[in-house]
Amino acid sequence: MANFLVIGGGVAGLRAAIELAGSGEVLVITKGKVMESSTWRAQGGIAVALAEGDEPELHMKDTLKAGVGLCDESAVKILVEEGVPRVEELISWGANFDKENGKLSFTQEGAHKIRRIIHAMGDATGEEVHRTLMRRVQGIENIKFFEHTFLIDLLIEGEECSGALIMDQNGEEQIIFASAIILASGGAGQLYRDTTNPPVATGDGLAIAYRAGCELQDMEFIQFHPTTLYLPSAPCFLISESVRGEGGVLKNSKGEAFMSEYHEMGDLAPRDVVCRAIFNQMWRTKSSNVFLDMRHLKPDFLKRRFPNIYMTCKKYGQDITRDLIPVRPAAHFLMGGVKTDLNSETNIKRLFSCGEAASVGVHGANRLASNSLLEGLVFGKRAGVSSSKCLGELARPNRARPNKDASPKINFGEIKKSLQELMEEKAGIIRCGKSLKEALEKLEEWDKILEVPLSSQEEFELRNMVTVARLITASALRREESRGAHFRSDFPATDDKKWKRHIVTKRGG
Ligand code: SIN
């Protein structure tokens, strides 16, 4: 029992917990260890209008342009305006962002017209943000953590959420009641074979919200990051877009720079444009990757500015100061999610959502680089403020603990691997009606197979992955146009007349 239950320990969940702690007891549950979130892995930085000559309106303009007509303007206004005090607050809590001559140092990433991205420890901004929030949280008695705790389902009574069914670290099922529940469970990159996301990002919160009756929107918009290290021996490792912001150049396997052929912003074009250009170059040159060239930049600068990238590439035999680094795109961020209003409230009473799990409308069809940590700070706080108002008498449903049945013999690991391949091939950077229909058929087949009593985390996770994959695929099939991160080879044009609108999905219609 807690007054408030926060699901997820990334930037959005932690910021919400800090806000709520003044109103009651907060329990934060995380599926793995608290630092195994996408926040921890964020390299590039936080986009915020703090540089000289920058203003929230300019940040807003770039965000709207990247979102290709699908951003909610009032949400973006809140993001860029409240983003400034949220970042200043983080600095006052001890976040140590990189400086030059005593002033914040700014870098640039794709689709930003000016240098407005602050960063920490060169390329480990997420770590610094997370550490700062955790330091703050650890000084607050009202906040408790349950790590290795898996959300199985939300408890819904009528139109209200009253808590959650969880599996604790001993594999035991428990019910936790709360006055308000904040879903900040992150994204679903693990649905794809290649992803920058941590292993915990299997979309559980999204599938669970869908089963609970939440509206989900924009599920077809999956952002792929153009540059992840591609070596047979190495894991899929992000190479920050700020590498190109500092002068790194994409080259094909013939050694030719190619981005100016595709966009006036060249290597700093919006992410979706860069991903498709890379795909096109891989196809033209019959290669499985392209390269990132940083050899013209000063070695000392590279080592100081990108210590994490330098060390990781080095570990796998690549020296960024001397070698061309093999890269290719990988699934990175879900623009869609649980639909919320500007106060992070979902269509279910007492249930709130923020961060990557939520869709408040700030990203539209394509998220502007480095807007996600900012979103977590701004809408995490908003979720905390609005959910604190739910404090009060709880409707406590009289629920028996569900029976645990033995699962039938299904090779869950095998289906998971096939699902990741399927999504990569048929619902990835370039899709078409035929590929999406084929994917949907297979997903429906797996969904049927999984209509059996499930009991382990692996089994619940797989069911969630199939649900979210179906939502992505069905929305992508429905949107018969190309916009931002959603590209249909059978409908390559953007069709504002018919499709400048959201696809909202809800269970049962
Ligand atoms: C990066 O550093 O390139 C990732 C930043 C982001 O996804 O916003």
Side-chain angles (χ1 to χ4, degrees), residues 41-45 108-110 122-124 195-197 224-231 234-250 267-268 271 274-275 278 290-294 297 302 305-316 318-321 323-332 369-370:
R41 292 182 170 212
Q43 293 182 359
Q108 194 160 8
E109 290 185 58
D123 53 4
T195 181
T196 61
N197 288 194
F224 285 75
H225 195 289
T227 54
T228 60
L229 181 63
Y230 180 67
L231 284 173
C236 183
F237 172 73
L238 178 72
I239 310 244
S240 176
E241 207 160 84
S242 50
V243 166
R244 279 174 280 133
E246 301 293 354
V249 177
L250 282 165
D267 282 282
L268 287 179
R271 273 185 195 171
V274 182
C275 283
I278 291 176
V290 294
F291 295 92
L292 200 48
D293 192 356
M294 299 167 242
L297 301 172
L302 283 175
R305 180 65 184 82
F306 302 111
N308 187 20
I309 295 172
Y310 174 75
M311 289 309 293
T312 306
C313 289
K314 195 88 204 266
K315 186 168 146 195
Y316 294 100
Q318 305 289 310
D319 183 340
I320 62 171
T321 67
D323 302 322
L324 282 167
I325 305 301
V327 291
R328 71 175 187 181
H332 185 55
S370 285

Side-chain angles (χ1 to χ4, degrees), residues 1-13:
M1 172 69 198
N3 295 121
F4 304 106
L5 176 62
V6 176
I7 295 149
V11 57

Side-chain angles (χ1 to χ4, degrees), residues 65-66 110-113 258-274 276-277 366:
K65 188 155 186 223
H112 284 274
K113 285 272 157 57
F258 55 83
M259 271 315 300
S260 57
E261 264 182 62
Y262 296 88
H263 199 274
E264 85 242 12
M265 291 181 86
D267 282 282
L268 287 179
R271 273 185 195 171
D272 59 303
V273 176
V274 182
R276 287 193 297 277
N366 188 32

Side-chain angles (χ1 to χ4, degrees), residues 354-371:
C354 49
E356 192 175 348
S359 174
V360 63
V362 289
H363 305 307
N366 188 32
R367 176 176 65 93
L368 184 67
S370 285
N371 263 355

Side-chain angles (χ1 to χ4, degrees), residues 5-8 29-32 146-155 161 163-168 172-176 181-185 202-212 351 357 456-457 459-461 463-464:
L5 176 62
V6 176
I7 295 149
I29 64 168
T30 61
K31 186 167 148 184
F146 283 180
E147 292 185 315
H148 301 289
T149 298
F150 182 73
L151 174 68
I152 298 176
D153 262 317
L154 291 166
L155 305 181
C161 183
L165 171 66
I166 56 129
M167 186 184 288
D168 69 18
E172 295 298 320
E173 290 180 13
Q174 283 188 33
I175 284 176
I176 299 175
I181 293 86
I182 295 92
L183 194 61
S185 49
T202 51
D204 305 294
L206 300 154
I208 288 163
Y210 176 72
R211 281 202 294 278
L351 180 62
S456 74
Q457 179 171 325
E459 297 164 10
F460 288 123
E461 258 177 10
R463 181 179 63 179
N464 292 338

Side-chain angles (χ1 to χ4, degrees), residues 70-116:
L70 277 197
C71 293
D72 175 331
E73 291 202 18
S74 29
V76 177
K77 193 164 184 321
I78 288 171
L79 176 81
V80 297
E81 286 180 353
E82 292 183 13
V84 174
R86 287 294 72 74
V87 168
E88 286 170 343
E89 173 183 75
L90 202 64
I91 294 172
S92 76
W93 292 347
N96 192 8
F97 293 107
D98 296 333
K99 296 201 178 70
E100 256 167 74
N101 306 322
K103 287 186 172 168
L104 281 174
S105 156
F106 295 90
T107 189
Q108 194 160 8
E109 290 185 58
H112 284 274
K113 285 272 157 57
I114 61 173
R115 291 174 80 89
R116 67 161 64 88

